[in-house]
Amino acid sequence: MQRKITKNYCMVFDLDLIKKLYAAMPARVDAARKSLGRPLTLAEKILYAHLWEGVAPVDFKRGKDYVDFAPDRVAMQDATAQMALLQFDTTGRNKVAVPSTVHCDHLIVAKNEGKADLSKAVVENEEVYNFLSSISNKYGIGFWKPGAGIIHQVVLENYAFPGGMMIGTDSHTVNAGGLGMVAIGVGGADACDVMAGLSWELLMPKLIGVKLTGKLNGWTSPKDVILKVAGILTVKGGTNAIVEYFGEGATSMSCTGKGTICNMGAEIGATTSTFGYDESMRRYLEATGRKDLADAADQIKDYLTGDPAVYAQPEKYFDKVIEINLSELEPHINGPFTPDLATPISKMKEAAAQNNWPTKVEVGLIGSCTNSSYEDISRAVSLAKQVAQKGLKTKAEFTITPGSEQVRYTIERDGFLETFSQIGARVFANACGPCIGMWERMGAEKQERNTIVHSFNRNFAKRADGNPNTLAFVASPELVTALAIAGDLTFNPITDTLFNEKGEAVKLDPPNGDELPQKGFAVEDAGYQAPAEDGSQVQVVVKADSKRLQLLYPFAEWEGADLQGLKLLIKAKGKCTTDHISMAGPWLKFRGHLDNISNNMLIGAVNFFNDKTDHVKNQLTGAYGPVPATQRDYKAAGVGSIVVGDENYGEGSSREHAAMEPRHLGVRVVLVKSFARIHETNLKKQGMLALTFDNKEDYNKIQEDDVFNTIGLTTFVPGKSIEILVKHSDGTTDTIQANHSYNAQQIEWFKAGGALNVIRRQFAN
Ligand code: MIC
Ligand code: SF4
């Protein structure tokens, strides 16, 4: 194996800690099996092995009980780490309590090509990178520099391990399920708790089992499994559940393919997804320099997968079971505008015609944290090679965003980048880039209706290039490459032919590639900076006049009375993801400055009353204006407000800015039909009141000029709903029942004005 490493970049991080966990795991799992009196799924084994209290006294009720856990590690990316670490900085601790890392990946704009784009980003984000690097150094956090790669790929390569539990301030933290972890996306405040040495609370997840039979073949890849699952479960079907994959189809798939499936579990709202430890994981651990870890895992391998009795009769042990036969699975294309609109390739011609989707593919983009494994790239390259061999010409633009420097270096060494450059491809920096709107796409400002195809995970409106009229479709890297070559969304490589430069009809051969590099992975500088042993002398600078960073102030405590006279800020219509609540792209640069980023609050949400975005009625003046400015008026006048929303409000990202901005600007209540898990927790953490309509029809009762009072906050207890008195402008009123899912601890957060105020008190005492 040829894996060059830099001086301070060690082979297996935290091996002793992992071995300690493995030593304790069998006894914990056996005890849980005994007290539950039944065989266990893998998810349960990992959860019960990570109970804060040690051994499990009871069979926790899934979907009902809040349980305290002790995660093994924390990962943060630069766009969320700023807020997480600004919060940690106020706790009074001098070192993180569990191994933690920061990854600089979200702030790099993709424009020309990797090197130049990276150099520009390093200059533009200097202040933020310095802050993150110094605060990491101070508090004992591993720091991955810009250019090192995307958090989830770097975590998979270095930190993920079978049977472990981690949390990360990014919804795609779940990617590490590919290596048999329970890895969960959270807001920065949750990460802050765990780094401060406190327990981490989670609603005991329900369990969804996905049995994979058969074997992937031809054009079908792991991505198609999750595209299919997303079509079945929809964007909210996985809420508060762990999805566990098993069966012969699971073991016959690569570890990185498993990562892709788990990664996109975020798109169905799942708490996380996972796979049992198997040979593919062993091969991946060895290839990434972690043979010792694989040996340790082998010692307790039965504890790192579900019990055979569970997999033999899954219906008995999972809350829901889905079966997919991989031998029959078709490649899928999901989109536009939502990742669960799944169309099998054979139906695309029909679907595109019916929906009037532009069929010309303008750009094909592969890579990202979801799909940039060596296997993905080698399979895509097998198609790129056919362009020259068959006398074809690539019709669409084509880009690659490698997930890590290790992958980039290796695919360059193996000649893949050269082959891609022959089809006119551009290689962007090892970063999120176009996946998160950090793409300066030429001509996007013209807002033309157009189609792009990518192998990322999300495709909400405006997400890639800021153009609301870009229709983004999600597919496997192989299919994206084929569609880019054909320049046509309806091209079905299984059945269709292309005409080459000589006018001959040619067919693309199915993709093939290597699961892992035959010559091993290699990298010259992985981009890691180890923290100081003693960071007490490290200075962390936040300038008072900085536009990018702002120290946090404690939010005010609850006033101890019902909230009165709240004005309706916006009644959001339809999909309202965290991208609608706190947009990314150019706004990412304010992720460390709460007041500045608050200027994007809810600007993407559609106002129910006029179908416009960022255009709401100011009840103080009667005039219409942008949401943030209207809310700032309410704040200045000392008037509280309420946001009303539809289903799965806050779907998507873990960004707690979507909760902190309304908190900072004086919104008091968010009342919706249903919430996405991470966002609901983020609201609670920040001391907001997150409520759901008891009767979803009551959403229709809310009028533009309504004013609201809460009734029952002084007796706010778990399980008891709260009433909302809605006063309409014609003098009539409605009383609406609103439910909540706060437990006793979370009610304390609300009363204290936010969880951080509670932690501060604990450390002050
Ligand atoms: C995303 O994919 O939307 C992001 C950007 O990675 C986010 C995190 C963020 O908003 O910083 C996520 O998924 O959590
Ligand atoms: Fe980055 Fe996109 Fe992955 Fe989020 S989903 S971590 S933005 S590459």
PDB file of all heavy atoms in Angstrom, residues 77 79-80 106 170-172 436 458 463 591 653-655, ligand 1:
ATOM      1  N   GLN A  77     -18.218  21.199  10.070  1.00  0.00           N
ATOM      2  CA  GLN A  77     -17.680  21.826   8.854  1.00  0.00           C
ATOM      3  C   GLN A  77     -17.657  23.339   9.052  1.00  0.00           C
ATOM      4  O   GLN A  77     -18.336  23.872   9.922  1.00  0.00           O
ATOM      5  CB  GLN A  77     -18.447  21.376   7.609  1.00  0.00           C
ATOM      6  CG  GLN A  77     -19.962  21.311   7.738  1.00  0.00           C
ATOM      7  CD  GLN A  77     -20.664  22.578   7.415  1.00  0.00           C
ATOM      8  OE1 GLN A  77     -20.066  23.641   7.443  1.00  0.00           O
ATOM      9  NE2 GLN A  77     -21.956  22.487   7.119  1.00  0.00           N
ATOM     10  N   ALA A  79     -18.857  26.014   7.766  1.00  0.00           N
ATOM     11  CA  ALA A  79     -20.025  26.905   7.748  1.00  0.00           C
ATOM     12  C   ALA A  79     -20.858  26.778   9.010  1.00  0.00           C
ATOM     13  O   ALA A  79     -21.576  27.697   9.382  1.00  0.00           O
ATOM     14  CB  ALA A  79     -20.882  26.622   6.518  1.00  0.00           C
ATOM     15  N   THR A  80     -20.780  25.639   9.683  1.00  0.00           N
ATOM     16  CA  THR A  80     -21.527  25.478  10.934  1.00  0.00           C
ATOM     17  C   THR A  80     -20.600  25.538  12.151  1.00  0.00           C
ATOM     18  O   THR A  80     -21.039  25.852  13.250  1.00  0.00           O
ATOM     19  CB  THR A  80     -22.278  24.130  10.959  1.00  0.00           C
ATOM     20  OG1 THR A  80     -21.368  23.110  10.568  1.00  0.00           O
ATOM     21  CG2 THR A  80     -23.472  24.135  10.024  1.00  0.00           C
ATOM     22  N   HIS A 106     -16.938  24.289   2.955  1.00  0.00           N
ATOM     23  CA  HIS A 106     -18.145  24.908   2.413  1.00  0.00           C
ATOM     24  C   HIS A 106     -17.931  26.291   1.816  1.00  0.00           C
ATOM     25  O   HIS A 106     -18.813  26.820   1.168  1.00  0.00           O
ATOM     26  CB  HIS A 106     -19.217  25.028   3.509  1.00  0.00           C
ATOM     27  CG  HIS A 106     -20.006  23.775   3.731  1.00  0.00           C
ATOM     28  ND1 HIS A 106     -19.431  22.605   4.140  1.00  0.00           N
ATOM     29  CD2 HIS A 106     -21.327  23.518   3.599  1.00  0.00           C
ATOM     30  CE1 HIS A 106     -20.368  21.680   4.260  1.00  0.00           C
ATOM     31  NE2 HIS A 106     -21.529  22.207   3.923  1.00  0.00           N
ATOM     32  N   ASP A 170     -23.720  18.829  10.444  1.00  0.00           N
ATOM     33  CA  ASP A 170     -24.059  18.819   9.028  1.00  0.00           C
ATOM     34  C   ASP A 170     -24.976  17.623   8.826  1.00  0.00           C
ATOM     35  O   ASP A 170     -24.719  16.542   9.362  1.00  0.00           O
ATOM     36  CB  ASP A 170     -22.793  18.651   8.185  1.00  0.00           C
ATOM     37  CG  ASP A 170     -23.094  18.860   6.715  1.00  0.00           C
ATOM     38  OD1 ASP A 170     -23.677  17.945   6.095  1.00  0.00           O
ATOM     39  OD2 ASP A 170     -22.775  19.937   6.182  1.00  0.00           O
ATOM     40  N   SER A 171     -26.035  17.821   8.068  1.00  0.00           N
ATOM     41  CA  SER A 171     -27.024  16.747   7.985  1.00  0.00           C
ATOM     42  C   SER A 171     -26.470  15.493   7.303  1.00  0.00           C
ATOM     43  O   SER A 171     -26.976  14.402   7.535  1.00  0.00           O
ATOM     44  CB  SER A 171     -28.270  17.233   7.263  1.00  0.00           C
ATOM     45  OG  SER A 171     -27.946  17.645   5.965  1.00  0.00           O
ATOM     46  N   HIS A 172     -25.431  15.645   6.492  1.00  0.00           N
ATOM     47  CA  HIS A 172     -24.905  14.459   5.816  1.00  0.00           C
ATOM     48  C   HIS A 172     -23.819  13.719   6.604  1.00  0.00           C
ATOM     49  O   HIS A 172     -23.143  12.830   6.071  1.00  0.00           O
ATOM     50  CB  HIS A 172     -24.445  14.820   4.396  1.00  0.00           C
ATOM     51  CG  HIS A 172     -25.604  15.212   3.548  1.00  0.00           C
ATOM     52  ND1 HIS A 172     -25.881  16.512   3.225  1.00  0.00           N
ATOM     53  CD2 HIS A 172     -26.613  14.470   3.026  1.00  0.00           C
ATOM     54  CE1 HIS A 172     -27.011  16.563   2.521  1.00  0.00           C
ATOM     55  NE2 HIS A 172     -27.472  15.335   2.387  1.00  0.00           N
ATOM     56  N   ILE A 436     -23.561  23.442  -2.959  1.00  0.00           N
ATOM     57  CA  ILE A 436     -24.167  24.317  -1.955  1.00  0.00           C
ATOM     58  C   ILE A 436     -24.257  25.762  -2.469  1.00  0.00           C
ATOM     59  O   ILE A 436     -24.223  26.725  -1.724  1.00  0.00           O
ATOM     60  CB  ILE A 436     -23.419  24.184  -0.594  1.00  0.00           C
ATOM     61  CG1 ILE A 436     -24.094  24.970   0.528  1.00  0.00           C
ATOM     62  CG2 ILE A 436     -21.961  24.516  -0.687  1.00  0.00           C
ATOM     63  CD1 ILE A 436     -25.483  24.542   0.824  1.00  0.00           C
ATOM     64  N   ARG A 458     -28.877  16.961  -2.941  1.00  0.00           N
ATOM     65  CA  ARG A 458     -30.028  17.865  -2.832  1.00  0.00           C
ATOM     66  C   ARG A 458     -30.221  18.631  -4.115  1.00  0.00           C
ATOM     67  O   ARG A 458     -29.255  18.962  -4.788  1.00  0.00           O
ATOM     68  CB  ARG A 458     -29.800  18.877  -1.717  1.00  0.00           C
ATOM     69  CG  ARG A 458     -29.834  18.213  -0.411  1.00  0.00           C
ATOM     70  CD  ARG A 458     -30.045  19.170   0.731  1.00  0.00           C
ATOM     71  NE  ARG A 458     -30.186  18.327   1.885  1.00  0.00           N
ATOM     72  CZ  ARG A 458     -29.651  18.566   3.070  1.00  0.00           C
ATOM     73  NH1 ARG A 458     -29.013  19.692   3.273  1.00  0.00           N
ATOM     74  NH2 ARG A 458     -29.810  17.709   4.045  1.00  0.00           N
ATOM     75  N   ARG A 463     -30.464  25.887  -5.425  1.00  0.00           N
ATOM     76  CA  ARG A 463     -29.378  25.384  -4.584  1.00  0.00           C
ATOM     77  C   ARG A 463     -28.017  25.386  -5.269  1.00  0.00           C
ATOM     78  O   ARG A 463     -27.009  25.725  -4.659  1.00  0.00           O
ATOM     79  CB  ARG A 463     -29.689  23.980  -4.092  1.00  0.00           C
ATOM     80  CG  ARG A 463     -28.560  23.442  -3.207  1.00  0.00           C
ATOM     81  CD  ARG A 463     -29.010  22.289  -2.382  1.00  0.00           C
ATOM     82  NE  ARG A 463     -27.885  21.623  -1.775  1.00  0.00           N
ATOM     83  CZ  ARG A 463     -27.572  21.691  -0.476  1.00  0.00           C
ATOM     84  NH1 ARG A 463     -28.310  22.395   0.341  1.00  0.00           N
ATOM     85  NH2 ARG A 463     -26.530  21.045  -0.001  1.00  0.00           N
ATOM     86  N   ARG A 591     -21.813  33.171   8.107  1.00  0.00           N
ATOM     87  CA  ARG A 591     -22.204  32.130   9.060  1.00  0.00           C
ATOM     88  C   ARG A 591     -21.663  32.328  10.486  1.00  0.00           C
ATOM     89  O   ARG A 591     -22.113  31.684  11.424  1.00  0.00           O
ATOM     90  CB  ARG A 591     -21.776  30.760   8.543  1.00  0.00           C
ATOM     91  CG  ARG A 591     -22.661  30.188   7.444  1.00  0.00           C
ATOM     92  CD  ARG A 591     -24.017  29.822   8.004  1.00  0.00           C
ATOM     93  NE  ARG A 591     -24.893  29.201   7.039  1.00  0.00           N
ATOM     94  CZ  ARG A 591     -24.906  27.904   6.745  1.00  0.00           C
ATOM     95  NH1 ARG A 591     -24.068  27.087   7.346  1.00  0.00           N
ATOM     96  NH2 ARG A 591     -25.746  27.423   5.864  1.00  0.00           N
ATOM     97  N   SER A 653     -30.989  20.941   5.837  1.00  0.00           N
ATOM     98  CA  SER A 653     -29.703  21.087   6.508  1.00  0.00           C
ATOM     99  C   SER A 653     -29.798  21.157   8.028  1.00  0.00           C
ATOM    100  O   SER A 653     -30.853  21.377   8.605  1.00  0.00           O
ATOM    101  CB  SER A 653     -29.060  22.356   5.960  1.00  0.00           C
ATOM    102  OG  SER A 653     -28.359  23.037   6.941  1.00  0.00           O
ATOM    103  N   SER A 654     -28.635  21.025   8.654  1.00  0.00           N
ATOM    104  CA  SER A 654     -28.545  21.117  10.112  1.00  0.00           C
ATOM    105  C   SER A 654     -28.297  22.550  10.571  1.00  0.00           C
ATOM    106  O   SER A 654     -28.176  22.791  11.756  1.00  0.00           O
ATOM    107  CB  SER A 654     -27.369  20.261  10.567  1.00  0.00           C
ATOM    108  OG  SER A 654     -26.164  20.857  10.094  1.00  0.00           O
ATOM    109  N   ARG A 655     -28.194  23.475   9.640  1.00  0.00           N
ATOM    110  CA  ARG A 655     -27.743  24.822  10.013  1.00  0.00           C
ATOM    111  C   ARG A 655     -28.642  25.439  11.086  1.00  0.00           C
ATOM    112  O   ARG A 655     -29.836  25.642  10.892  1.00  0.00           O
ATOM    113  CB  ARG A 655     -27.652  25.721   8.772  1.00  0.00           C
ATOM    114  CG  ARG A 655     -28.935  25.928   8.048  1.00  0.00           C
ATOM    115  CD  ARG A 655     -28.731  26.598   6.688  1.00  0.00           C
ATOM    116  NE  ARG A 655     -28.227  25.633   5.727  1.00  0.00           N
ATOM    117  CZ  ARG A 655     -28.461  25.676   4.420  1.00  0.00           C
ATOM    118  NH1 ARG A 655     -29.175  26.654   3.901  1.00  0.00           N
ATOM    119  NH2 ARG A 655     -27.976  24.765   3.619  1.00  0.00           N
TER     120      ARG A 655
HETATM  121  C1  MIC B   1     -26.079  21.170   3.030  1.00  0.00           C
HETATM  122  O1  MIC B   1     -25.816  20.168   2.392  1.00  0.00           O
HETATM  123  O2  MIC B   1     -27.159  21.783   2.952  1.00  0.00           O
HETATM  124  C2  MIC B   1     -25.070  21.676   4.008  1.00  0.00           C
HETATM  125  C3  MIC B   1     -24.601  22.970   3.564  1.00  0.00           C
HETATM  126  O3  MIC B   1     -23.964  20.807   4.054  1.00  0.00           O
HETATM  127  C4  MIC B   1     -25.743  21.749   5.373  1.00  0.00           C
HETATM  128  C5  MIC B   1     -24.982  22.380   6.430  1.00  0.00           C
HETATM  129  C6  MIC B   1     -24.995  23.857   6.382  1.00  0.00           C
HETATM  130  O4  MIC B   1     -26.014  24.469   6.122  1.00  0.00           O
HETATM  131  O5  MIC B   1     -23.960  24.415   6.726  1.00  0.00           O
HETATM  132  C7  MIC B   1     -26.266  20.454   5.928  1.00  0.00           C
HETATM  133  O6  MIC B   1     -26.645  19.610   5.181  1.00  0.00           O
HETATM  134  O7  MIC B   1     -26.415  20.320   7.150  1.00  0.00           O
END
